[in-house]
Amino acid sequence: MVSFRSLAIYGNGNGTSATGAYPTGTATGDYVLVQLYKENDATVSLTPSDLVLVAEGDNNTSDSFHSYLYIRKFTSGDANVNLSWTGSTWRDLQITAWQGSSGTGADGTDGTPSVQVSTSNGTSITCPSITTSIANSVLACCAFTWSGVNYTDPDGASTEWTDRGTHARDCHISTKATAVAAGSQSSQTVTGSASTSWVGMQVAIKNADA
């Protein structure tokens, strides 16, 4: 069954690229989620070239930034992730590895990932509802924020969420600790410690092929 394996975070700062090795322990067959935050809209060049863009959000409030979510299936020996563009800008990169899926193909998502972009600053970051079709997929809530904040993950009476990493400005991911049945999945809310502009995404990593 698919489950979270490990996380790698690469320092924020200005530049024309974001480069990172895969998280510790990433193994052949794992799906890898790549979150990129940057403060311009320049086209991104991808290495490896089979990274699949599954969601993006362009926040054009006073604190403008662009957020991207990619996925690919890892094979041992693959080149490190390198995302590049024109124009030096603030950027941040976060990579997570997910083990146990029997799915094939580069796109390891179940259903269509959802995106919500804030229209004003706030502390509640919404990862919108999605619909899955494969039993035992695992949900991840991805938050991108302009300001560096501390995050409080969604929680529920019967469902625990685990913080998979926080980085001052700008990427965060929470994952549901238990797999879900196929069907409509509720929106989730990540709470930030300070008011900021944000983008929220919800994605399901497939447990198997449909």
Side-chain angles (χ1 to χ4, degrees), residues 64-105:
S64 181
F65 66 88
H66 206 106
S67 54
Y68 308 79
L69 183 65
Y70 302 91
I71 196 168
R72 70 179 301 267
K73 198 166 183 67
F74 177 80
T75 299
S76 180
D78 283 351
N80 288 346
V81 171
N82 181 60
L83 308 177
S84 60
W85 52 86
T86 59
S88 182
T89 189
W90 192 276
R91 78 280 196 256
D92 193 39
L93 178 69
Q94 181 166 284
I95 305 171
T96 48
W98 305 80
Q99 63 187 331
S101 174
S102 64
T104 59

Side-chain angles (χ1 to χ4, degrees), residues 118-201:
S118 66
T119 56
S120 61
N121 289 2
T123 58
S124 295
I125 304 157
T126 301
C127 299
S129 61
I130 62 172
T131 300
T132 60
S133 61
I134 302 169
N136 296 319
S137 293
V138 168
L139 300 177
C141 182
C142 304
F144 302 79
T145 57
W146 185 84
S147 296
V149 300
N150 296 318
Y151 299 92
T152 301
D153 295 314
D155 202 356
S158 61
T159 305
E160 292 298 326
W161 288 71
T162 304
D163 177 8
R164 297 305 185 192
T166 306
H167 200 188
R169 195 178 177 188
D170 304 292
C171 299
H172 176 81
I173 191 166
S174 307
T175 182
K176 212 166 190 178
T178 54
V180 296
S184 179
Q185 312 299 336
S186 299
S187 63
Q188 307 296 334
T189 300
V190 175
T191 305
S193 60
S195 183
T196 182
S197 58
W198 54 266
V199 173
M201 301 177 181

